[in-house]
Structure formats: structure tokens, C-alpha cells
Amino acid sequence: MVVERCLLRSIPTARHELEELRRTTDVLLEFESRLFALGSVSASDISNRPIHTAVGRLDDLFIERRCDHAQSRARELAEDTSFALFELERHEVWSLDFVREKVGDSGCGISPLLAEACEKAVTSASGGASADLVYPKCSISRSMHRLVSEAYALVNEATLSSDVSASSCLLLGSARQTFDLYGALYLTLHRAQLTKIPALAWQFFNDCMYASHHAGIIAQLIPSLSSTPSEGKEAWLETARHFFGVGSAHIADLVVRESRELGALIGNSSSSRDAFYNAASDAAKEQLEKSRKQVRLAVTQLSRAMQPPVVTPRIYYQTLGHYIDA
């Protein structure tokens, strides 16, 4: 009862809080020792010492609690219906300082192992692939911004120990699973809104590209952090490819659907086009003028939904060109 109602429920989700809990376990161990002194349990039977056993597994219990909390956090972020924006006011340049800032909120500093892996990645990128470490300024959801921070915090915690253990692999796997869980839930829960509201569709596209970007970077770090480098790296690359594919397919569907609706406003047929060239009566001209205004309004609204800094200028003009063609 003491283990279930006191110790297990007190296990925190932040490592600095774990150290505080560790200092209080002596009281529980003393309580158990007094039970032995009273003859309530057999001191020779280790199975009758659950507090001692639980304290001995405190690190493992913390890892399990931390991973469960990360998955719950990913679920909460995916279920968020506020759709709050987080604007990247300048190009985001990935660096050691960037990662240090991301893990700062977890209450513990960046591990030496992760810092070394980051420096290697930056050095490697400076040889010609530095663009891979830059994400262009745009708007993403606040939920995705927090999810990426959570993933880096988990990666950092996995490397705080000097040895690469099963617990480290569990934390690294949990970091990747937060991405996968968020992506699956978000698209399922908000599909209706993403279909009806172009601005949210573009936000989701940016979120997917942002997740893909950071999953790809973490994949480059994995060989220095994991006991199964090739397997772990490929899993992260698969997550990066998945988000890129989902985001690209989703926005392609949006452009096709909106282009079709634009065409429907004026009628994509030879007779409809001939009506524009050969309109003679005032009534026909008035009807064509009404159609022109409707189309122009529709294109303007679509333009505003994706106007920079919502998306990058390149994507904005490319998509606007599709609508103009339609």
C-alpha cells in the first residue's frame, strides 16, 4: 500500500524532481526496516521488501513514467482546438545553442554526449549541406513548436547517462513516437476543419514540414547516441519522410479542390469561355461581371489564407500561380 499510494504516485516526470524524491526515500526505507524490527515480515525474504525493491528500480520507474507522460503530452497537443500560431520571425538556424535552448525547459542542461553530437552535425553541415540546418521563417502551430521541444528534451535525457542502456533506447524511441502519435491523431481529429478552413490546412502543412525537418536532423544525431545506430537512424528518417509525404499530399489535395471550385464559379467549358468572348446583351455582360467578381474574391480569400509569413514566399507564389491558372 505504501509503494502504490505513496512512492509510485510520487515519481515525477522531470529529472531534477527525481533527485529531490531520491532524498526522501530514506524515510520509506526506514519505515520498512521498522516493520522488520517488529517482526511483521521476514527479513530473509526479499519479496517481502517491496519498498526496497521499488527504490532500487527508481531510475527505471522514472523512465517509464517519463515516456508515458511524453505520450500523454503529445496526445494533449494533438487534441488542442485553439490552433494557436507560433510565428518563426526569422529563419531558424539549427545549432548547439538552439538545442540547448530547447532542452532548457526540462530543468536539466544539455548532456555532453548530445552537445558533442550536435557539434559534429554542425561541422558536417558546414562542408556543403548547411541549408539542411535552416528552416525558413513562416508560421507553425504552437502545439508543434512545443512537441519539437518535448522531443529534444527526451533525446537529451536519453544521453544524460554515460552508458547507452536500454533506458536510453526507450527514451529515444519515445521521442520519435511523440511525432508519430501527434501526426496520426491530429489529422484524424481535425480533418473536417482542415478541409473547410484553408488557413488551418496551410498551418498543418507547415507543421508537417517542420516535424520532417527536425526528425531528419535528429536522425543524423542518432549514430552518436544510440546502441543501434543504423536501425534508430532509419526509424527517424522514416518519420521525416512520413511527415513530408503527409503534408505534401494534404496541400496538393487542397490546391486541386480549390482550383476545381474556382473553375466551377465560371464554368470550365468551351461554351462558358465563348460566353465571355461573345457577350452582347447587357444582361449577359452583367452576369459575366458578377462571375468575375466572385472569382476574384475567392482568389483573394485563398491568397490571404496563405500570405507570408503564413507560408514562405516561394510556396505562396507557386500556389497562387495554380489558382490563377485555374
Side-chain angles (χ1 to χ4, degrees):
M1 184 177 67
V2 171
V3 172
E4 292 180 356
R5 296 188 180 182
C6 182
L7 180 58
L8 295 183
R9 293 185 181 182
S10 301
I11 295 177
T13 57
R15 188 169 290 275
H16 66 281
E17 295 176 354
L18 176 64
E19 299 308 317
E20 296 177 5
L21 175 63
R22 204 185 300 276
R23 289 192 290 269
T24 66
T25 54
D26 291 342
V27 177
L28 296 176
L29 291 173
E30 177 65 21
F31 169 77
E32 192 174 51
S33 297
R34 289 186 179 184
L35 290 180
F36 290 138
L38 293 173
S40 301
V41 294
S42 172
S44 60
D45 188 357
I46 193 65
S47 64
N48 287 329
R49 302 184 62 186
I51 297 178
H52 181 275
T53 302
V55 170
R57 294 188 61 246
L58 199 56
D59 285 329
D60 292 337
L61 293 173
F62 166 75
I63 296 298
E64 293 174 6
R65 181 71 177 273
R66 181 69 180 90
C67 291
D68 289 343
H69 178 266
Q71 302 309 305
S72 297
R73 182 62 174 153
R75 188 176 296 107
E76 291 174 5
L77 292 173
E79 293 172 348
D80 182 24
T81 57
S82 67
F83 304 114
L85 282 175
F86 183 88
E87 185 176 337
L88 301 175
E89 298 179 350
R90 59 181 62 86
H91 295 332
E92 183 185 270
V93 181
W94 190 91
S95 64
L96 176 58
D97 289 337
F98 172 84
V99 178
R100 185 178 286 115
E101 180 182 348
K102 286 293 182 185
V103 304
D105 293 338
S106 63
C108 53
I110 189 170
S111 72
L113 185 60
L114 179 57
E116 182 181 355
C118 291
E119 290 178 342
K120 287 182 180 179
V122 172
T123 301
S124 175
S126 64
S130 57
D132 294 339
L133 301 184
V134 179
Y135 191 82
K137 63 178 182 179
C138 63
S139 295
I140 60 176
S141 71
R142 192 169 296 276
S143 294
M144 176 53 70
H145 186 259
R146 291 172 177 170
L147 183 78
V148 169
S149 296
E150 178 73 14
Y152 276 108
L154 286 167
V155 171
N156 184 57
E157 288 186 26
T159 59
L160 286 173
S161 177
S162 57
D163 63 322
V164 181
S165 61
S167 297
S168 298
C169 294
L170 189 62
L171 284 166
L172 288 174
S174 181
R176 183 177 54 80
Q177 289 163 11
T178 59
F179 277 95
D180 297 339
L181 178 61
Y182 179 93
L185 284 177
Y186 192 95
L187 191 57
T188 300
L189 295 172
H190 309 301
R191 188 180 299 274
Q193 293 95 323
L194 295 176
T195 302
K196 296 177 181 177
I197 307 173
L200 284 182
W202 283 109
Q203 184 187 94
F204 177 67
F205 169 75
N206 287 342
D207 282 356
C208 288
M209 296 301 107
Y210 192 71
S212 177
H213 172 73
H214 284 287
I217 290 178
I218 294 175
Q220 305 307 316
L221 302 177
I222 290 299
S224 301
L225 309 177
S226 175
S227 59
T228 56
S230 58
E231 179 181 340
K233 179 178 180 179
E234 182 55 36
W236 276 99
L237 288 175
E238 178 60 32
T239 295
R241 288 191 291 264
H242 172 74
F243 270 98
F244 186 88
V246 169
S248 300
H250 181 76
I251 215 62
D253 289 343
L254 171 72
V255 173
V256 170
R257 185 171 64 253
E258 298 293 354
S259 297
R260 188 183 300 118
E261 292 180 4
L262 286 174
L265 289 175
I266 56 175
N268 275 334
S269 65
S270 58
S271 60
S272 298
R273 289 192 294 271
D274 289 342
F276 275 90
Y277 291 117
N278 303 321
S281 67
D282 290 341
K285 291 179 179 179
E286 184 178 344
Q287 180 60 40
L288 294 177
E289 178 65 13
K290 182 179 179 181
S291 297
R292 183 190 68 79
K293 288 180 178 180
Q294 288 178 333
V295 172
R296 179 166 184 154
L297 177 61
V299 173
T300 300
Q301 291 174 334
L302 291 171
S303 173
R304 288 174 179 170
M306 61 176 182
Q307 190 169 0
V310 175
V311 300
T312 62
R314 182 184 67 83
I315 293 177
Y316 170 74
Y317 287 114
Q318 184 181 58
T319 307
L320 187 58
H322 284 297
Y323 291 149
I324 298 300
D325 286 343

